[in-house]
Amino acid sequence: RPPPPGSMSKRRSSRAIEAAGAPSKQRRGEPLICLVCGLYADGKVAVACSLLKELKATSVLVGDLAAKRAVSKKAGGAFEVAEYAAEVPHLPDGSIVIVVHDFAQPSRVAAAVEASGSSSPKLLCVIDARSFLDEWESVEALPPRLREAAKTDLRAHLRDKKRCEVLAECVESADVIALSHAEAADADELEMLEAMLR
């Protein structure tokens, strides 16, 4: 299966939680800003909650109400979870996990975060191993119901794009890719995914 235009030539793959917290260019004690993106909402919530367990004192910003409810429930009230309504979130002080809107352009949010004088954010993309290859090759537009709901949402930068274009934007701007439900994919699919994502 050949990758669509804008293929992923510079992919890195590693354990998401370790890599997101790794001190690569980060100075010790400097707050970590991690943007969690992708179309797989449950996966984004699971990864965000795993990050919260590791980072301890962290603020959480989410791009939609459903994500706010899910993170709040999984975090068990241990963290303050706030929904951001602007095109890009206003950042509180300290370490932050941002679960961006499903149709947000992660590179745009990251650029705005950096422009605000904050430390450079790490972009973490969550993909679903069960459906990624089919979605990557699909030329279908996002469902009309979702496009209509996102029309007036400033956070939904990619609302007019096809599903594969939204996935490509998320994957190609990621520093780290977290593969969810790898146990449900067969060995050939995992091998193809790994080759595409490297």
Side-chain angles (χ1 to χ4, degrees):
R1 297 179 181 174
S7 72
M8 300 171 280
S9 58
K10 53 186 191 285
R11 257 347 97 241
R12 304 196 292 256
S13 176
S14 66
R15 294 193 59 213
I17 305 310
E18 289 175 12
S24 59
K25 294 180 195 171
Q26 198 108 358
R27 289 190 306 254
R28 193 165 202 83
E30 185 176 317
L32 174 70
I33 300 173
C34 186
L35 282 92
V36 182
C37 66
L39 286 173
Y40 180 47
D42 290 343
K44 290 191 306 187
V45 167
V47 167
C49 289
S50 293
L51 284 168
L52 292 174
K53 287 177 187 172
E54 296 296 319
L55 296 173
K56 310 292 185 244
T58 304
S59 299
V60 184
L61 297 174
V62 295
D64 61 72
L65 188 57
K68 180 179 179 182
R69 287 183 185 132
V71 172
S72 295
K73 182 178 178 181
K74 284 196 176 204
F79 299 92
E80 183 181 338
V81 181
E83 181 182 3
Y84 71 92
E87 185 175 358
V88 293
H90 172 73
L91 305 180
D93 292 333
S95 292
I96 306 162
V97 173
I98 304 170
V99 181
V100 299
H101 190 283
D102 289 352
F103 308 138
Q105 185 175 12
S107 56
R108 187 172 175 175
V109 176
V113 166
E114 247 180 301
S116 73
S118 298
S119 59
S120 182
K122 294 204 180 265
L123 281 164
L124 195 154
C125 175
V126 182
I127 61 172
D128 187 341
R130 300 169 300 182
S131 60
F132 178 77
L133 292 173
D134 291 334
E135 290 175 336
W136 183 255
E137 293 177 341
S138 172
V139 292
E140 290 180 24
L142 295 166
R145 175 184 55 80
L146 293 177
R147 285 197 322 267
E148 190 62 36
K151 267 186 183 175
T152 58
D153 194 333
L154 295 174
R155 301 165 295 188
H157 313 126
L158 303 172
R159 63 185 157 265
D160 296 325
K161 301 291 183 188
K162 295 179 177 147
R163 196 169 192 83
C164 63
E165 293 171 317
V166 174
L167 278 172
E169 168 63 33
C170 292
V171 167
E172 291 179 354
S173 28
D175 295 310
V176 178
I177 296 172
L179 186 60
S180 180
H181 296 291
E183 75 285 351
D186 65 38
D188 289 341
E189 287 175 320
L190 288 175
E191 190 176 312
M192 188 177 299
L193 270 171
E194 186 175 348
M196 285 177 69
L197 297 172
R198 283 201 182 268

